[in-house]
Amino acid sequence: MVQNGARIIAVGNEKGGSGKSTTALHLAVYLLHQGHRVATIDVDSRQQTLTRYVRNRRTTVESTGRQVPMPKHVHLPTAWGDSIRENQKAEQDIFNRAIDGLRGEVDYIVIDTPGFDGNLARLAHGAADTLITPINDSMIDLDVLAKIDLASGEPIETSPYSRNVQKARTERMAATGRGIDWVLVRNRISNLGSRNASQVQDAVEKLAARLGCRVADGIAERVIFRSLFPIGMTVFDPLEADVLGGAPSMSHVNARQEYRSLVAALQLPRVTSTEPMRLSA
Ligand SMILES: Nc1ncnc2c1ncn2[C@@H]1O[C@H](COP(=O)(O)OP(=O)(O)O)[C@@H](O)[C@H]1O
Ligand SMILES: [Mg+2]
């Protein structure tokens, strides 16, 4: 399959702290290292984690001269006028302008969304060719997608978030003939391999069958992610000893492999870019 114009990948889950922003930057940087042109859009005005992540990355580049590729980053602010209708219109306009401007410039547009429902978040979901939903590895965190019967692991009732995604899928299909490829990924999986972990995996698979989405192999809980945010780096960047506290650990190498598997699971179509990758100054 070949994609015409940029492929839009949204990262969404109406729960904070599930790893959306971390996943968004890792995905964007991985695609950059693969030689693709990548834009990142932050529609989470409250946290602006991805915007801060990219800013930290720029600061590291400027202060250390480290050569790492940069995404073209855009932050879209929430409109705060008195009229809800005018705010929605203003947000729709800036969203469309950003997408239209970037579509011809890059191969992939990665959009990070907030951990709550809102107009910009809905626009991002509606525009997505691929939606990645990272979920923290616990039964409690599955309730953002559905109420689960704890005894059987079966979904009882889908959540408002899942219903919004299904609505966005139906509307997109009606408007463009294309749905949204929805991929769930367990995040922060405990390395201890507990009963909880297999219970969660089982419930996620049942949920995916119910929601018509796919499940990618998960990302383990790793302390390295804590040291990456302040310097705006990812596990795909060349990391100096000051960050790693020594040579790359197995944990670091495994984290790379897990993110690579996640990208493979996305089954992204081939893009026809021939432009060289953009390196920061
Ligand atoms: N696989 C992981 N292992 C350890 N910590 C992680 C992992 N993924 C994310 N985190 C941490 O979890 C916190 C929340 O992640 P973040 O990406 O900001 O979530 P969200 O955008 O969904 O609110 C951050 O401190 C981040 O460093
Ligand atoms: Mg976030």
Side-chain angles (χ1 to χ4, degrees), residues 29 32-33 36 38 54-73 231-233 237-238 276-281:
V29 169
L32 282 166
H33 278 295
H36 299 295
V38 182
V54 172
R55 201 177 294 147
N56 294 347
R57 187 173 179 84
R58 201 167 292 129
T59 303
T60 297
V61 165
E62 283 164 6
S63 61
T64 65
R66 206 173 287 179
Q67 290 282 306
V68 290
M70 294 293 290
K72 188 179 171 73
H73 184 73
I231 52 166
M233 293 292 130
D237 297 305
M277 125 175 131
R278 211 177 273 138
L279 282 174
S280 57

Side-chain angles (χ1 to χ4, degrees), residues 162-233:
S162 294
R163 289 198 290 275
N164 277 347
V165 175
Q166 300 296 29
K167 186 161 167 275
R169 279 175 136 175
T170 311
E171 287 172 0
R172 193 179 145 86
M173 183 58 87
T176 66
R178 284 175 292 132
I180 300 172
D181 186 18
W182 191 8
V183 180
L184 308 183
V185 55
R186 288 159 64 214
N187 188 31
R188 309 191 70 163
I189 299 173
S190 150
N191 289 317
L192 299 173
S194 62
R195 201 176 93 75
N196 166 69
S198 63
Q199 199 186 9
V200 175
Q201 176 66 16
D202 181 56
V204 167
E205 273 162 20
K206 286 177 173 148
L207 247 175
R210 168 83 169 264
L211 297 172
C213 55
R214 300 185 291 118
V215 185
D217 285 346
I219 311 287
E221 168 79 28
R222 298 187 194 283
V223 286
I224 188 172
F225 288 102
R226 265 186 243 156
S227 48
L228 294 173
F229 176 76
I231 52 166
M233 293 292 130

Side-chain angles (χ1 to χ4, degrees), residues 43-152:
V43 298
D44 183 356
S45 270
R46 213 171 283 175
Q47 302 285 336
Q48 296 185 40
T49 310
L50 186 60
T51 302
R52 288 185 290 131
Y53 214 141
V54 172
R55 201 177 294 147
N56 294 347
R57 187 173 179 84
R58 201 167 292 129
T59 303
T60 297
V61 165
E62 283 164 6
S63 61
T64 65
R66 206 173 287 179
Q67 290 282 306
V68 290
M70 294 293 290
K72 188 179 171 73
H73 184 73
V74 181
H75 167 235
L76 299 182
T78 307
W80 288 111
D82 291 335
S83 154
I84 293 175
R85 187 182 297 191
E86 279 174 24
N87 290 344
Q88 288 187 343
K89 164 105 183 41
E91 288 173 353
Q92 174 103 54
D93 287 347
I94 55 160
F95 185 83
N96 289 349
R97 263 206 308 277
I99 296 286
D100 290 346
L102 294 169
R103 214 184 263 284
E105 265 188 59
V106 298
D107 305 313
Y108 295 99
I109 302 174
V110 179
I111 313 180
D112 189 26
T113 67
F116 54 87
D117 189 12
N119 185 47
L120 276 169
R122 288 195 187 200
L123 292 171
H125 283 73
D129 298 298
T130 298
L131 170 63
I132 306 173
T133 296
I135 317 158
N136 269 333
D137 198 42
S138 82
M139 291 304 280
I140 293 173
D141 285 274
L142 297 185
D143 67 2
V144 73
L145 296 173
K147 267 198 202 116
I148 310 280
D149 177 64
L150 287 177
S152 66

Side-chain angles (χ1 to χ4, degrees), residues 258-271:
E258 286 169 357
Y259 266 112
R260 275 195 206 110
S261 303
L262 169 59
V263 181
L266 298 181
Q267 298 168 3
L268 297 174
R270 205 153 43 81
V271 285

